[in-house]
Amino acid sequence: MLVLGYQILDMIAVGNDQQKDYFYNLTNESHWNLRVLSYPPMSDIPEGYGISVGEHTDYGFLTMVNQDLNPTAIQVKNENNEWIDGPPIDGAFLMNIGDMLSYWTNGEYRSTPHRVIHTNSKKPRISVPFFFEPNYDAVIKGLGKDNGVMYGDHLCSKVFNNFDFDK
């Protein structure tokens, strides 16, 4: 997955008039994360309800999601602020652009707002996201800008604002 992440970032760098290896020093000690998520069948829950993950964006550069072929549960928000399904495609990853890539491109590549709504009463849903993140101490500067944000600070800010640690 790291190799795929590097290949994609190489293409993004070249497409933005940068050297192919532009991202290497920002990711050579990547703070990557792989998760395996299982959403159980919803047999005891009324239709229209289910296990969900609320609207959010991912924190780093890219997220590559390997989904099973069960009915769609992930939705992304399009440019018209409408939720659309992200149907699984056999042999393909669903790709999300993260906050740091959006920051680097000054919003040209938009961080993907998305959510999960699993309501299938018959089958579990399995999702395996790979979060390709910058180095924890990488400073990400927007193209053509002198100032930047340290990824670790952004990560901590998002985590501490998304989760209640006082309970």
Side-chain angles (χ1 to χ4, degrees):
M1 294 304 294
L2 283 171
V3 170
L4 178 59
Y6 281 117
Q7 290 172 338
I8 293 168
L9 286 181
D10 287 351
M11 290 184 280
I12 289 171
V14 170
N16 283 278
D17 299 321
Q18 303 298 313
Q19 294 293 318
K20 179 180 173 185
D21 62 353
Y22 176 89
F23 289 102
Y24 181 75
N25 288 331
L26 299 172
T27 57
N28 61 332
E29 295 179 6
S30 175
H31 193 68
W32 63 268
N33 186 338
L34 176 72
R35 297 177 67 194
V36 178
L37 304 169
S38 174
Y39 302 82
M42 302 280 90
S43 57
D44 296 333
I45 298 191
E47 191 65 34
Y49 291 88
I51 293 178
S52 299
V53 176
E55 178 179 351
H56 66 284
T57 57
D58 295 335
Y59 313 151
F61 279 134
L62 298 168
T63 304
M64 298 162 258
V65 183
N66 187 4
Q67 307 179 80
D68 63 17
L69 295 178
N70 285 332
T72 299
I74 193 165
Q75 295 181 323
V76 295
K77 193 176 273 187
N78 68 16
E79 63 277 355
N80 296 320
N81 217 29
E82 302 165 327
W83 289 108
I84 58 173
D85 291 336
I89 299 171
D90 193 19
F93 293 105
L94 180 125
M95 302 291 294
N96 285 330
I97 293 172
D99 297 339
M100 293 294 94
L101 190 55
S102 182
Y103 186 84
W104 181 73
T105 63
N106 300 309
E108 186 70 24
Y109 294 8
R110 224 171 32 108
S111 188
T112 312
H114 58 285
R115 66 183 182 185
V116 176
I117 301 176
H118 176 60
T119 59
N120 192 313
S121 61
K122 308 260 188 275
K123 296 180 179 180
R125 176 180 187 267
I126 306 297
S127 175
V128 183
F130 178 78
F131 302 94
F132 189 47
E133 317 288 76
N135 301 342
Y136 187 83
D137 62 353
V139 176
I140 309 302
K141 296 178 181 179
L143 285 168
K145 297 193 176 177
D146 293 328
N147 58 344
V149 62
M150 189 176 85
Y151 172 67
D153 290 344
H154 177 71
L155 174 66
C156 289
S157 172
K158 292 281 276 204
V159 169
F160 291 135
N161 285 314
N162 287 346
F163 300 98
D164 185 0
F165 292 101
D166 293 332
K167 293 186 179 183

